[in-house]
Short mmCIF file of all heavy atoms in Angstrom, two decimals:
data_model
loop_
_atom_site.label_atom_id
_atom_site.label_comp_id
_atom_site.label_asym_id
_atom_site.label_seq_id
_atom_site.Cartn_x
_atom_site.Cartn_y
_atom_site.Cartn_z
N SER A 1 28.88 22.44 37.29
CA SER A 1 29.15 22.94 35.94
C SER A 1 29.79 24.33 36.01
O SER A 1 30.71 24.64 35.23
CB SER A 1 27.86 22.97 35.11
OG SER A 1 26.91 23.86 35.70
N ALA A 2 29.32 25.19 36.92
CA ALA A 2 29.91 26.52 37.07
C ALA A 2 31.34 26.42 37.58
O ALA A 2 32.23 27.16 37.15
CB ALA A 2 29.06 27.37 38.00
N THR A 3 31.57 25.48 38.51
CA THR A 3 32.92 25.30 39.03
C THR A 3 33.85 24.77 37.94
O THR A 3 34.99 25.21 37.82
CB THR A 3 32.91 24.33 40.22
OG1 THR A 3 32.03 24.84 41.23
CG2 THR A 3 34.30 24.19 40.82
N PHE A 4 33.38 23.81 37.16
CA PHE A 4 34.19 23.29 36.05
C PHE A 4 34.53 24.41 35.07
O PHE A 4 35.67 24.50 34.57
CB PHE A 4 33.43 22.18 35.31
CG PHE A 4 33.23 20.93 36.11
CD1 PHE A 4 32.32 19.97 35.69
CD2 PHE A 4 33.92 20.69 37.29
CE1 PHE A 4 32.11 18.82 36.41
CE2 PHE A 4 33.72 19.54 38.03
CZ PHE A 4 32.82 18.60 37.58
N ASP A 5 33.56 25.28 34.79
CA ASP A 5 33.81 26.40 33.88
C ASP A 5 34.87 27.34 34.47
O ASP A 5 35.73 27.86 33.73
CB ASP A 5 32.53 27.19 33.63
CG ASP A 5 31.54 26.43 32.76
OD1 ASP A 5 31.94 25.45 32.11
OD2 ASP A 5 30.36 26.83 32.74
N SER A 6 34.83 27.56 35.78
CA SER A 6 35.81 28.44 36.44
C SER A 6 37.21 27.85 36.34
O SER A 6 38.18 28.56 36.04
CB SER A 6 35.43 28.66 37.91
OG SER A 6 34.24 29.40 38.02
N ILE A 7 37.32 26.55 36.60
CA ILE A 7 38.63 25.89 36.50
C ILE A 7 39.16 26.00 35.08
O ILE A 7 40.32 26.35 34.84
CB ILE A 7 38.53 24.42 36.93
CG1 ILE A 7 38.15 24.29 38.41
CG2 ILE A 7 39.85 23.69 36.66
CD1 ILE A 7 37.81 22.88 38.83
N ALA A 8 38.29 25.72 34.11
CA ALA A 8 38.71 25.77 32.70
C ALA A 8 39.17 27.18 32.32
O ALA A 8 40.16 27.34 31.60
CB ALA A 8 37.55 25.32 31.80
N TRP A 9 38.46 28.20 32.81
CA TRP A 9 38.83 29.58 32.47
C TRP A 9 40.22 29.91 33.02
O TRP A 9 41.04 30.50 32.33
CB TRP A 9 37.79 30.55 33.03
CG TRP A 9 37.92 31.95 32.50
CD1 TRP A 9 37.35 32.47 31.38
CD2 TRP A 9 38.70 33.01 33.08
NE1 TRP A 9 37.72 33.79 31.21
CE2 TRP A 9 38.55 34.15 32.24
CE3 TRP A 9 39.52 33.12 34.20
CZ2 TRP A 9 39.16 35.37 32.51
CZ3 TRP A 9 40.14 34.33 34.47
CH2 TRP A 9 39.96 35.45 33.63
N VAL A 10 40.47 29.51 34.27
CA VAL A 10 41.79 29.76 34.87
C VAL A 10 42.87 29.07 34.04
O VAL A 10 43.93 29.66 33.74
CB VAL A 10 41.83 29.26 36.33
CG1 VAL A 10 43.25 29.33 36.89
CG2 VAL A 10 40.88 30.08 37.20
N LYS A 11 42.63 27.83 33.66
CA LYS A 11 43.64 27.06 32.92
C LYS A 11 43.91 27.64 31.52
O LYS A 11 44.98 27.41 30.96
CB LYS A 11 43.20 25.60 32.80
CG LYS A 11 43.05 24.88 34.13
CD LYS A 11 44.38 24.74 34.86
CE LYS A 11 44.24 23.99 36.15
NZ LYS A 11 45.53 23.85 36.87
N GLU A 12 42.94 28.37 30.98
CA GLU A 12 43.10 28.95 29.64
C GLU A 12 43.83 30.29 29.65
O GLU A 12 44.20 30.79 28.58
CB GLU A 12 41.72 29.15 29.00
CG GLU A 12 41.00 27.86 28.65
CD GLU A 12 39.53 28.10 28.33
OE1 GLU A 12 39.09 29.28 28.44
OE2 GLU A 12 38.83 27.13 28.00
N GLN A 13 44.04 30.86 30.82
CA GLN A 13 44.60 32.21 30.89
C GLN A 13 46.09 32.24 30.60
O GLN A 13 46.81 31.27 30.87
CB GLN A 13 44.31 32.83 32.25
CG GLN A 13 42.85 33.03 32.53
CD GLN A 13 42.14 33.72 31.38
OE1 GLN A 13 42.42 34.87 31.06
NE2 GLN A 13 41.22 33.01 30.74
N PRO A 14 46.59 33.37 30.05
CA PRO A 14 48.02 33.48 29.76
C PRO A 14 48.84 33.50 31.03
O PRO A 14 48.38 33.95 32.08
CB PRO A 14 48.11 34.82 29.02
CG PRO A 14 46.92 35.60 29.49
CD PRO A 14 45.84 34.59 29.70
N VAL A 15 50.07 33.02 30.93
CA VAL A 15 50.98 33.00 32.08
C VAL A 15 51.86 34.24 32.10
O VAL A 15 52.03 34.88 33.14
CB VAL A 15 51.85 31.72 32.04
CG1 VAL A 15 52.91 31.76 33.14
CG2 VAL A 15 50.98 30.48 32.18
N GLY A 16 52.41 34.63 30.97
CA GLY A 16 53.31 35.76 30.92
C GLY A 16 52.64 37.10 30.69
O GLY A 16 53.27 38.14 30.78
N LEU A 17 51.35 37.09 30.37
CA LEU A 17 50.58 38.31 30.14
C LEU A 17 49.43 38.36 31.13
O LEU A 17 49.13 37.37 31.81
CB LEU A 17 50.02 38.32 28.71
CG LEU A 17 51.03 38.20 27.58
CD1 LEU A 17 50.31 37.97 26.26
CD2 LEU A 17 51.90 39.45 27.52
N GLU A 18 48.79 39.51 31.22
CA GLU A 18 47.64 39.64 32.10
C GLU A 18 46.35 39.27 31.36
O GLU A 18 46.27 39.41 30.13
CB GLU A 18 47.54 41.07 32.62
CG GLU A 18 48.67 41.44 33.58
CD GLU A 18 49.51 42.61 33.08
OE1 GLU A 18 49.13 43.77 33.36
OE2 GLU A 18 50.53 42.35 32.42
N SER A 19 45.37 38.80 32.10
CA SER A 19 44.07 38.48 31.51
C SER A 19 43.36 39.78 31.15
O SER A 19 43.23 40.67 31.99
CB SER A 19 43.22 37.67 32.49
OG SER A 19 43.85 36.47 32.84
N PRO A 20 42.87 39.91 29.93
CA PRO A 20 42.26 41.18 29.52
C PRO A 20 40.87 41.37 30.12
O PRO A 20 40.12 40.42 30.32
CB PRO A 20 42.18 41.05 28.01
CG PRO A 20 42.10 39.57 27.75
CD PRO A 20 42.92 38.93 28.83
N PHE A 21 40.54 42.63 30.41
CA PHE A 21 39.16 43.01 30.67
C PHE A 21 38.54 43.33 29.32
O PHE A 21 39.08 44.15 28.56
CB PHE A 21 39.09 44.24 31.57
CG PHE A 21 39.34 43.95 33.02
CD1 PHE A 21 40.62 44.03 33.54
CD2 PHE A 21 38.31 43.58 33.87
CE1 PHE A 21 40.87 43.76 34.88
CE2 PHE A 21 38.55 43.31 35.21
CZ PHE A 21 39.83 43.40 35.71
N THR A 22 37.42 42.70 29.01
CA THR A 22 36.82 42.87 27.69
C THR A 22 35.39 43.37 27.81
O THR A 22 34.73 43.22 28.85
CB THR A 22 36.82 41.54 26.91
OG1 THR A 22 36.05 40.57 27.62
CG2 THR A 22 38.24 41.03 26.71
N ALA A 23 34.93 43.97 26.73
CA ALA A 23 33.55 44.41 26.61
C ALA A 23 33.17 44.37 25.14
O ALA A 23 34.03 44.49 24.26
CB ALA A 23 33.37 45.81 27.17
N THR A 24 31.89 44.19 24.86
CA THR A 24 31.44 44.29 23.48
C THR A 24 31.26 45.77 23.14
O THR A 24 31.03 46.61 24.02
CB THR A 24 30.11 43.56 23.28
OG1 THR A 24 29.11 44.13 24.13
CG2 THR A 24 30.27 42.07 23.61
N ALA A 25 31.35 46.08 21.87
CA ALA A 25 31.29 47.48 21.43
C ALA A 25 29.99 48.15 21.82
O ALA A 25 29.95 49.37 22.02
CB ALA A 25 31.50 47.54 19.92
N ASP A 26 28.90 47.38 21.96
CA ASP A 26 27.59 47.97 22.25
C ASP A 26 27.34 48.18 23.74
O ASP A 26 26.34 48.80 24.11
CB ASP A 26 26.48 47.09 21.68
CG ASP A 26 26.40 47.17 20.15
OD1 ASP A 26 26.78 48.24 19.61
OD2 ASP A 26 25.99 46.19 19.53
N GLU A 27 28.22 47.68 24.59
CA GLU A 27 28.01 47.91 26.02
C GLU A 27 28.20 49.38 26.36
O GLU A 27 29.00 50.09 25.74
CB GLU A 27 28.99 47.08 26.85
CG GLU A 27 28.64 45.61 26.95
CD GLU A 27 29.50 44.89 27.98
OE1 GLU A 27 29.19 44.98 29.19
OE2 GLU A 27 30.48 44.25 27.57
N SER A 28 27.47 49.83 27.38
CA SER A 28 27.59 51.22 27.79
C SER A 28 28.75 51.39 28.77
O SER A 28 29.19 50.43 29.41
CB SER A 28 26.29 51.69 28.46
OG SER A 28 26.12 51.05 29.72
N VAL A 29 29.20 52.62 28.90
CA VAL A 29 30.25 52.93 29.87
C VAL A 29 29.80 52.56 31.27
O VAL A 29 30.57 52.01 32.06
CB VAL A 29 30.61 54.43 29.78
CG1 VAL A 29 31.46 54.86 30.96
CG2 VAL A 29 31.31 54.74 28.48
N GLN A 30 28.53 52.84 31.58
CA GLN A 30 28.01 52.51 32.90
C GLN A 30 28.10 51.02 33.19
O GLN A 30 28.45 50.62 34.31
CB GLN A 30 26.56 52.98 33.00
CG GLN A 30 25.93 52.81 34.37
CD GLN A 30 24.52 53.39 34.43
OE1 GLN A 30 23.81 53.44 33.41
NE2 GLN A 30 24.11 53.84 35.59
N GLN A 31 27.81 50.19 32.22
CA GLN A 31 27.89 48.74 32.41
C GLN A 31 29.34 48.30 32.65
O GLN A 31 29.60 47.48 33.52
CB GLN A 31 27.33 48.02 31.17
CG GLN A 31 25.83 48.10 31.02
CD GLN A 31 25.37 47.50 29.70
OE1 GLN A 31 25.85 47.86 28.62
NE2 GLN A 31 24.43 46.57 29.78
N VAL A 32 30.27 48.85 31.91
CA VAL A 32 31.67 48.45 32.05
C VAL A 32 32.24 48.90 33.38
O VAL A 32 33.03 48.18 34.01
CB VAL A 32 32.50 49.01 30.88
CG1 VAL A 32 33.98 48.71 31.07
CG2 VAL A 32 32.01 48.42 29.56
#
């Protein structure tokens, strides 16, 4: 299931743009 999720994530990523690094607003700087 984890491998299937990894494959799906790769397939969903943009081709001409970079994949964004994201964080929720409540995360701390240390966590990011």
